[in-house]
Amino acid sequence: MDIQWYPGHMTKAKRQMQEDIKLIDLIIELVDARCPRSSGNPDIDELGRNKARLVLLNKADLASEEGNRLWAAAYKEKGVSVLTVDSRNKTTLKQINGIISEACKEKIERDRRKGIKNRPIRAMVAGIPNVGKSTFINSYIGRASTKTGNKPGVTKGKQWIRVSKFLELLDTPGILWPKFEDELVGRNLAFVGSVKEEVLNVEELAVLFLDFCKEKYPGVLAERYGVEESLPSPELLVGIGEKRGCLVKNQEVSTEKAAKLIMDEFRSGRLGRMTLELPSE
Ligand code: G4P
C-alpha cells in the first residue's frame, strides 16, 4: 500500500514547531494509544532536546488495557513521564497536574537554585493530525479554568492560556508530521484514520485490517459478524458485506461499503478495544 504525505504541509508545520518550541519549557506530546510508536514522531527527540517531556497515550479507551499497561511501562522505563487518557473524559485527566510537576522537576529545581520563585511552566501540546490535540486542550482547560477562574492572556503575539498559577499553555497545538518510515507505520496510521481517506484504497485497507484481526484478535470477527474466519480476507470482506446488507443496486455486495463499515466499526471501538502494536514488537 502506497501512502502519500504532503511535503508542503510538513515544511510549514516543522518551521512553526521550531519557532514555538523556543518559547516553552514542556512539550505535552499526544500519541494514539492504539499505536504509540507509529503515531509518535522521532524528530521530537531532536526538536525538544533540553525541554521537559510528557507523553499522553490518548484514546486509551479504544486500546486494549494490556497494551496500555505495557506502553506506559515502556515509556517509564525510558525515563519519560507518561499518562493514559481519554481526552473526551475529563476524569481521566485528574492526575495530569501531578505528572506535569514530575516531568518539570528539573526546571523547577533550576529556577529554585537561581532564586526564581513561582515562574509558571510554559507548555505546548503537540501531536500528529487527528490524535486528539484540540479535544485534550478543551477538556483540560475547561476543567482547569473553572477551578482557577483565570482568563486567557496575550503575550507577545502568542496566545497563552493561563491554566493555573503554575502553568501556561500555548493555545495552538504543535502539529507534528507522521513518519511513514516503514510499511507498518503507514498501515497503522491508516487503520486509525490518521491518513486522508482520499489517498487510500479502502478495500485494500480493510483486507489488511481483516488479516490483522484474524492474527491478533482471533474470534472477534466471527463474533461480531457471524463469519468463518478461516476464509481468505478478500472473501471475508464479501461475507461481512452480505451479512450486513452492504449491497449495490443489482443486489450485489459492495466491497467498498463493507470495507467502510468495518473500518468505521474499528475506529469507533465497536469491534472492541484493540492495540495495533506492542513495545516488544
Ligand atoms: P486534533 O486536534 O489532534 O487534530 O484531533 P481532535 O481533537 O480534532 O480529535 C480527533 C477525533 O478524535 C475527534 O473525533 C475526537 O472526538 C476524537 N478523540 C479525541 N480524543 C479522544 C479520546 O481520548 N478517545 C476517543 N475515543 N476519541 C477521541 P471526531 O470529532 O468525531 O472526529 P472523527 O471521529 O469524525 O474523525
Side-chain angles (χ1 to χ4, degrees):
M1 201 173 39
D2 190 21
I3 296 171
Q4 304 294 327
W5 191 250
Y6 305 100
H9 279 88
M10 246 193 292
T11 322
K12 191 160 170 256
K14 190 165 188 171
R15 213 177 300 129
Q16 187 64 50
M17 189 74 195
Q18 280 164 335
E19 283 308 306
D20 286 349
I21 229 161
K22 292 180 195 152
L23 308 171
I24 56 144
D25 309 297
L26 168 73
I27 305 170
I28 301 175
E29 185 194 3
L30 265 72
V31 296
D32 190 310
R34 292 166 294 178
C35 53
R37 188 182 296 121
S38 299
S39 59
N41 179 329
D43 291 352
I44 195 112
D45 291 335
E46 177 59 24
L47 278 169
R49 87 178 168 269
N50 305 326
K51 304 288 172 184
R53 291 262 294 280
L54 165 60
V55 169
L56 298 182
L57 296 168
N58 193 41
K59 308 198 186 187
D61 55 303
L62 297 173
S64 75
E65 289 185 51
E66 172 72 352
N68 289 343
R69 200 180 55 70
L70 292 170
W71 276 110
Y75 280 102
K76 274 186 203 143
E77 202 165 293
K78 284 198 296 179
V80 179
S81 299
V82 61
L83 195 62
T84 51
V85 295
D86 166 3
S87 285
R88 295 165 319 157
N89 176 354
K90 292 185 171 78
T91 58
T92 67
L93 304 179
K94 274 200 312 258
Q95 288 170 286
I96 197 151
N97 288 341
I99 300 272
I100 288 175
S101 307
E102 179 196 293
C104 293
K105 60 176 186 283
E106 279 179 26
K107 176 211 170 275
I108 295 166
E109 180 57 24
R110 256 199 323 271
D111 277 2
R112 201 186 58 77
R113 277 202 303 270
K114 288 187 205 153
I116 304 168
K117 269 194 211 143
N118 302 327
R119 185 167 69 90
I121 293 159
R122 291 199 149 177
M124 79 185 290
V125 171
I128 64 167
N130 206 41
V131 74
K133 298 177 295 299
S134 317
T135 309
F136 167 74
I137 292 176
N138 288 337
S139 291
Y140 182 48
I141 299 310
R143 180 172 178 276
S145 58
T146 51
K147 236 174 130 184
T148 61
N150 282 322
K151 296 208 175 71
V154 183
T155 323
K156 286 186 191 150
K158 283 279 166 196
Q159 289 278 355
W160 293 93
I161 306 166
R162 202 171 160 84
V163 178
S164 70
K165 251 195 350 245
F166 90 112
L167 185 71
E168 291 179 2
L169 192 66
L170 201 56
D171 81 336
T172 41
I175 300 179
L176 295 172
W177 47 97
K179 284 245 159 179
F180 299 120
E181 75 264 306
D182 71 38
E183 224 177 292
L184 273 187
V185 171
R187 187 204 74 167
N188 289 339
L189 292 175
F191 284 176
V192 299
S194 279
V195 176
K196 285 194 166 65
E197 293 278 337
E198 306 91 80
V199 301
L200 296 170
N201 175 331
V202 68
E203 284 140 289
E204 221 177 290
L205 185 69
V207 165
L208 287 177
F209 180 71
L210 294 174
D211 287 342
F212 164 81
C213 279
K214 288 191 290 187
E215 190 192 335
K216 302 289 181 182
Y217 291 90
V220 165
L221 297 171
E223 172 152 350
R224 175 100 189 147
Y225 301 112
V227 287
E228 179 49 65
E229 284 193 2
S230 57
L231 288 172
S233 295
E235 286 174 43
L236 209 48
L237 180 63
V238 176
I240 292 171
E242 264 166 17
K243 294 268 183 189
R244 285 307 183 91
C246 302
L247 305 175
V248 280
K249 270 196 214 114
N250 55 5
Q251 296 299 301
E252 255 178 51
V253 170
S254 160
T255 44
E256 190 187 338
K257 281 190 189 169
K260 284 186 175 152
L261 174 117
I262 293 163
M263 296 319 298
D264 195 50
E265 297 212 329
F266 162 66
R267 288 170 190 159
S268 61
R270 272 170 286 169
L271 279 180
R273 300 174 65 162
M274 287 185 183
T275 295
L276 301 173
E277 61 189 359
L278 291 172
S280 56
E281 281 166 352

